[in-house]
Amino acid sequence: MEPVKIADIIQLQRQYASESVVTLRKMKKQGKPIIAHVDDNVWQIPENNPAKSTYQGRTMERFETILREAHAVTTSTPYLKNLCLRFNPNVYIFRNLVEPDIANFKSLGRDEPDVIRLGWTATPHHCDDILPLESLFLNLTQKYSNLRLVFMGYAPPNVLKQIPRRRWEYYEFVPVDGFYAALANLDFDIGIAPLIDNGFNKGKTARKAQEYAMLGIPMVLTPIITYRDWQTGETCLKPKENTVQGWFDAISWMIEHPKEREKFANAAYKQVMLFHDINRYISERAQVYYDVYKAVKGKEYGSSD
């Protein structure tokens, strides 16, 4: 409890334990500004997602209690903000921020420069998004003899069984502090971001697109609200339909048009630097903390009054 006692502001990251409710109430009595954070649509978790069993019953009640009793809530998308406003009128959006220096992790050269590396990374929690496209990968490897599939964190089981071993690579997910070094060294020529169009994914940020963009990876993105800020034919390519055929056509086009891939990647890099550079926008988050502090304490942070 000591770090909490000496803190000027307390941020609760998606908390739902009974101890968290007790801590929130105790710290509020001591005049501590409390901010809750929501980074997923926990009200519409898909059935196959392991987190579904967590956000039920009393756990969900405690989670919502924390949202109601916190002085403010921070979240990451307008969609999530509207959901959070049901519980608290003071909701702030934190834009996703990316560190430009992650590009320094990129490898200096390729052992097989003629191989086209098509990649995707995610934990098993996102299996629902990739499993509908299993046949896509078989079709692509049959059409393009120089295509290699690269997965980190999860790969569709039938893909690994049906496609020759030399045509794919699989890597276990890594701890958070090693993720960007691992992602940069996977050497994707094309990165994909498939999502099912459901309520859970509508609350997602375009984080994967922002990471691809910062690393200069040409990308194929799902044509849903999550990626609304990324324009197909300018910074990325999106399937005309979110179907196996739609993805097959889009990825095929990207494979066959390397110069356009490079143009998309360059434009995407400019966009991510313009709107998501951590060095430019970190002050926005600081301002939220200052505003909440002043609203709760009745004075500016750092003032002696």
Side-chain angles (χ1 to χ4, degrees), residues 47-80:
E47 293 296 329
N48 292 333
N49 190 311
K52 177 71 173 181
S53 61
T54 299
Y55 290 90
Q56 302 287 331
R58 296 297 297 275
T59 296
M60 183 60 86
E61 290 176 11
R62 291 193 296 269
F63 177 79
E64 293 177 350
T65 293
I66 289 173
L67 297 186
R68 290 189 182 96
E69 297 189 14
H71 294 109
V73 175
T74 56
T75 190
S76 49
T77 70
Y79 188 88
L80 288 178

Side-chain angles (χ1 to χ4, degrees), residues 56-259:
Q56 302 287 331
R58 296 297 297 275
T59 296
M60 183 60 86
E61 290 176 11
R62 291 193 296 269
F63 177 79
E64 293 177 350
T65 293
I66 289 173
L67 297 186
R68 290 189 182 96
E69 297 189 14
H71 294 109
V73 175
T74 56
T75 190
S76 49
T77 70
Y79 188 88
L80 288 178
K81 178 178 180 177
N82 288 332
L83 295 178
C84 293
L85 283 170
R86 298 177 299 171
F87 306 97
N88 195 309
N90 304 311
V91 182
Y92 299 85
I93 295 178
F94 280 172
R95 77 169 74 204
N96 273 359
L97 301 176
V98 187
E99 172 58 70
D101 287 347
I102 67 174
N104 294 336
F105 290 120
K106 295 172 66 174
S107 61
L108 298 179
R110 295 268 291 273
D111 294 332
E112 301 172 288
D114 294 331
V115 172
I116 296 175
R117 299 170 65 83
L118 177 70
W120 180 74
T121 68
T123 66
H125 286 204
H126 301 277
C127 63
D128 284 352
D129 294 315
I130 198 75
L131 286 175
L133 299 180
E134 279 191 314
S135 62
L136 164 72
F137 300 110
L138 179 60
N139 295 341
L140 286 170
T141 53
Q142 289 176 341
K143 182 177 180 180
Y144 300 101
S145 61
N146 63 334
L147 181 68
R148 183 172 298 164
L149 308 175
V150 184
F151 300 98
M152 183 171 75
Y154 180 82
N158 288 330
V159 170
L160 304 190
K161 292 178 182 178
Q162 297 176 12
I163 296 176
R165 180 65 184 84
R166 62 184 175 80
R167 303 295 306 279
W168 56 265
E169 298 173 15
Y170 173 75
Y171 302 92
E172 294 291 345
F173 219 69
V174 297
V176 173
D177 59 358
F179 175 73
Y180 285 124
L183 175 62
N185 279 276
L186 292 175
D187 287 328
F188 292 171
D189 290 298
I190 302 170
I192 62 172
L195 291 175
I196 295 174
D197 190 1
N198 58 26
F200 182 69
N201 284 336
K202 286 177 181 176
K204 291 286 185 185
T205 69
R207 183 76 189 183
K208 192 174 293 293
Q210 293 150 10
E211 292 167 345
Y212 286 158
M214 192 62 80
L215 291 171
I217 300 171
M219 51 194 174
V220 182
L221 307 176
T222 308
I224 63 173
I225 190 174
T226 306
Y227 296 113
R228 63 191 176 280
D229 294 332
W230 300 85
Q231 298 302 311
T232 187
E234 296 180 12
T235 57
C236 66
L237 198 63
K238 296 178 182 178
K240 293 181 179 179
E241 295 182 344
N242 196 13
T243 62
V244 170
Q245 187 62 51
W247 278 89
F248 181 83
D249 293 342
I251 294 173
S252 294
W253 191 93
M254 288 286 269
I255 290 172
E256 296 170 11
H257 294 82
K259 291 184 178 180

